[in-house]
Amino acid sequence: MEDFIDSGWIDAIDIGFNESIAKNASKIVKECEKNIKYFGNQWYADFAGYKAILLKPGEGYEWHFDNMDYVDGILSCPRPNRYWSQLTYLTDGQPFEIGDWNPLGERVEQTEFSAPIPNTILARVHPMPGVTVVFPCFMVHRIKPVVNNRRWAIVSFIDNPNYKNMDKKTLQLIFKRYFNGSTHQNI
């Protein structure tokens, strides 16, 4: 169970580790378990200004975007102010995967962020407390197979294209490369 990022996408996807979260994950989960809410097809808890998402046994997320939607061959961006997704895991769980853009793939109906099934896995991360993943919101991703435990992760959507060592120009180049020029959508 080794994490990987396809060598062609190391500039777009970052896997890291937060020692402080790792040390305090069980305490954070206990707090989150006291304040679980349900909205928009997901369980969550607010914690220290962040949103912790819970997947219960038997749940998962199919292929989706965090800011785009793909319907009838048209790619749209219902959440244009989301540029980066950042996950920080609080528990172990099923792998998180990022896939390539495959407009001919069967479309997965899940949310307003539905996406086609990719041909290739570009990254796979095995969650454990403290592991972090940062990637562009427009990259197709999932959690599959369904989880077999109570899987908690802090999820943040970064509303600025300039994040960590990235800037808007770099993000635009990644966008064009990811979609292979098959869209005129601009971020």
Side-chain angles (χ1 to χ4, degrees), residues 62-77:
E62 260 305 339
W63 294 108
H64 67 283
F65 301 100
D66 283 339
N67 69 345
M68 311 284 284
D69 195 14
Y70 189 63
V71 179
D72 298 327
I74 299 170
L75 189 63
S76 65
C77 189

Side-chain angles (χ1 to χ4, degrees), residues 67-68 77 80 82-83 138 161 168 170-176 179 184-187:
N67 69 345
M68 311 284 284
C77 189
R82 285 184 179 178
Y83 296 96
F138 55 74
K168 186 173 183 174
T170 303
L171 187 61
Q172 288 172 325
L173 291 172
I174 292 168
F175 182 92
K176 288 177 183 175
F179 289 104
H184 299 292
Q185 184 74 32
N186 197 4
I187 53 174

Side-chain angles (χ1 to χ4, degrees), residues 56-137:
K56 294 181 177 183
E59 297 177 341
Y61 282 111
E62 260 305 339
W63 294 108
H64 67 283
F65 301 100
D66 283 339
N67 69 345
M68 311 284 284
D69 195 14
Y70 189 63
V71 179
D72 298 327
I74 299 170
L75 189 63
S76 65
C77 189
R79 301 274 170 86
N81 293 325
R82 285 184 179 178
Y83 296 96
W84 299 97
S85 296
Q86 179 171 303
L87 310 174
T88 304
Y89 293 101
L90 301 173
T91 59
D92 297 338
Q94 296 292 4
F96 168 80
E97 297 176 325
I98 298 173
D100 68 344
W101 169 242
N102 176 23
L104 302 178
E106 179 182 341
R107 181 175 176 264
V108 175
E109 295 279 343
Q110 180 169 294
T111 67
E112 68 180 311
F113 306 114
S114 295
I117 298 171
N119 286 319
T120 305
I121 303 299
L122 303 179
R124 180 174 294 121
V125 179
H126 295 87
M128 59 183 277
V131 168
T132 63
V133 184
V134 177
F135 61 96
C137 284

Side-chain angles (χ1 to χ4, degrees), residues 129-156:
V131 168
T132 63
V133 184
V134 177
F135 61 96
C137 284
F138 55 74
M139 295 184 96
V140 176
H141 56 283
R142 74 173 179 178
I143 301 159
K144 198 71 172 181
V146 295
V147 299
N148 54 14
N149 63 328
R150 293 177 71 83
R151 182 184 176 278
W152 282 98
I154 296 172
V155 179
S156 302

Side-chain angles (χ1 to χ4, degrees), residues 36-44 59:
I36 297 173
K37 302 171 188 165
Y38 186 79
F39 180 77
N41 296 324
Q42 71 183 29
W43 301 97
Y44 73 96
E59 297 177 341

Side-chain angles (χ1 to χ4, degrees), residues 9-22:
W9 295 98
I10 291 174
D11 62 330
I13 304 165
D14 180 62
I15 301 171
F17 188 75
N18 183 312
E19 186 73 34
S20 179
I21 294 288

